Amino acid sequence: MTRDTRRAWSQRTASLGQSDIRAMTQACVQIKGINMAQGVCDTGVPPVVAHAVQHAVDLGYNIYTRFDGLPQLRQALARKTAHYNGFSPDPETDITVSAGATGAFHCACMALFDPGDEVIVFEPYYAYHLHALASVDAVPRIVPTLPPDWAFDLRALEEAVTARTKAIVVNTPSNPSGKVFSRAELEQIGRIAMERDLFVITDEIYEYFLYDGRPHVSLASLPGMAERTITISGYSKTFAITGWRIGHTIAAPRWAQAIGSMNDLLYVCAPAPLQHAVATGINELRQEFYVELATEYQAKRDRFCEALQRAGLPPSVPQGAYYVLADVSLIPGKTGKERAMYVLEKTGVAGVPGEAFFQGETGHRFIRFCYAKTEKDLADACDRLARLT
Ligand SMILES: Cc1ncc(COP(=O)(O)O)c(C=O)c1O
């Protein structure tokens, strides 16, 4: 890309490049393969949520809401957070409903970071986090987590904090590794944040996708942490409504106010009838819905991981979320990209090259697959992977 005329795109745009996920999706469409690259859920929307949309339109929820969201959604989120996440936000001052968790993260970055501020991000990372940080000229500092359990080295984390560090980003359950941070790990992160006076931004969008009885721990629920933690979540994944764009931040009032101002500036508000429908879902769906969700996805995880193992692509079995990193070292090719193309051509199954999630050479060894697919597509993908043997 060049900037040789006055009418050039910004350096910010130039630094984004084309997403590997989009590139693999296009290659997959061309050969009519099964797209396990993109994190869209092909599963159904809970009927109570789907039906609530028309009802909301009929009731007149068609105009702007308050910048931080409909009161009934903020109240539903406050109750859910107290019950599920173990801390108690004030729906009047702490919660900002935004355009998905993505919009929420972006607003938090705009509200909290100045150019040159350093932000610690664990690797493998969700590339959107890096791009959102880059879009406000913040500087990501990468701390690796290592397979098989994607643990981080406490010393490495401590040493990554400099005089310019302003925050640590935690994504639990994590995309792409499926790591679920334990309470002990979160306590270590919390201790460092307190000692060095840092924010922690937690992306908990997969908070209900947990396997093998593992609990979800929200960092804001740890003693003293609510004041410095920006908790981000949303219903894109839990209600399979990625296209609705409903997410939120929870933060102490002074941070929430700044995040809310950015939300007002960028989006004015999240879509009104969809906010109403999500509130209905939160209020009406019982505990069993969430238990069944985790059970259903654990079965998908097990089925797909077994197929990967049989195909000679050993999986790093995820503890949560709905992605799996498979080791593709034995597949012909030098990079994750070459290997992902090989797998696509041989089997018609598209995954994302590991380079999308790692800075160094580790990415060459991995492909990420998303198993949030219908039973039929998942069965088909498992059969197709057998072509590698
Ligand atoms: C870690 C993580 N955060 C956020 C998102 C996006 O969430 P939303 O659709 O609510 O913007 C995704 C989607 O893939 C994700 O993996």
Side-chain angles (χ1 to χ4, degrees), residues 29 50 141 168 171 194 216 226 235 250 281 292 310:
V29 169
R141 287 278 167 239
I168 304 174
N171 175 209
M194 285 208 196
H216 175 68
Y235 282 83
I250 303 174
E292 276 168 27
R310 278 197 304 272

Side-chain angles (χ1 to χ4, degrees), residues 75-121:
Q75 283 154 12
L77 288 168
R79 281 193 296 273
K80 167 265 177 196
T81 304
H83 167 253
Y84 185 68
N85 303 84
F87 65 105
S88 300
D90 181 335
E92 267 308 299
T93 54
D94 299 3
I95 299 178
T96 309
V97 177
S98 189
T102 307
F105 191 84
H106 192 61
C107 289
C109 289
M110 285 186 63
L112 303 181
F113 303 136
D114 285 316
D117 283 347
E118 294 181 8
V119 178
I120 293 174
V121 178

Side-chain angles (χ1 to χ4, degrees), residues 307-313 346-347 383-389:
L308 286 169
Q309 190 69 46
R310 278 197 304 272
L313 310 178
K346 270 291 248 204
T347 67
D383 289 346
R384 283 161 174 257
L385 283 177
R387 293 180 197 167
L388 286 172
T389 54

Side-chain angles (χ1 to χ4, degrees), residues 252-331:
R254 58 181 168 149
W255 316 127
Q257 219 165 39
I259 292 168
S261 300
M262 293 304 165
N263 195 54
D264 193 5
L265 174 70
L266 290 176
Y267 311 115
V268 181
C269 65
L274 306 183
Q275 289 190 53
H276 189 270
V278 169
T280 306
I282 299 171
N283 289 336
E284 294 195 9
L285 288 165
R286 299 287 129 226
Q287 170 85 354
E288 299 80 65
F289 167 80
Y290 301 95
V291 172
E292 276 168 27
L293 181 79
T295 308
E296 181 193 330
Y297 275 81
Q298 183 170 321
K300 286 181 200 262
R301 174 200 69 169
D302 290 345
R303 185 172 187 183
F304 191 62
C305 284
E306 278 160 26
L308 286 169
Q309 190 69 46
R310 278 197 304 272
L313 310 178
S316 166
V317 178
Q319 303 168 333
Y322 50 52
Y323 306 91
V324 54
L325 285 170
D327 189 329
V328 290
S329 313
L330 298 179
I331 295 291

Side-chain angles (χ1 to χ4, degrees), residues 135-154:
S135 77
V136 297
D137 298 316
V139 181
R141 287 278 167 239
I142 305 298
V143 171
T145 64
L146 298 174
D149 55 355
W150 305 103
F152 61 87
D153 177 22
L154 186 55

Side-chain angles (χ1 to χ4, degrees), residues 21 38-40 98-105 125-129 170-176 203-206 232-237 241-248 321-323 368:
I21 301 182
Q38 223 164 14
V40 290
S98 189
T102 307
F105 191 84
Y125 41 74
Y126 172 55
Y128 251 104
H129 290 158
V170 175
N171 175 209
T172 183
S174 158
N175 171 11
D203 180 339
E204 305 179 25
I205 188 87
Y206 299 103
I232 294 179
S233 193
Y235 282 83
S236 293
K237 315 288 177 174
I241 49 170
T242 50
W244 285 24
R245 316 310 306 130
I246 304 289
H248 61 271
Y322 50 52
Y323 306 91
R368 187 202 74 176

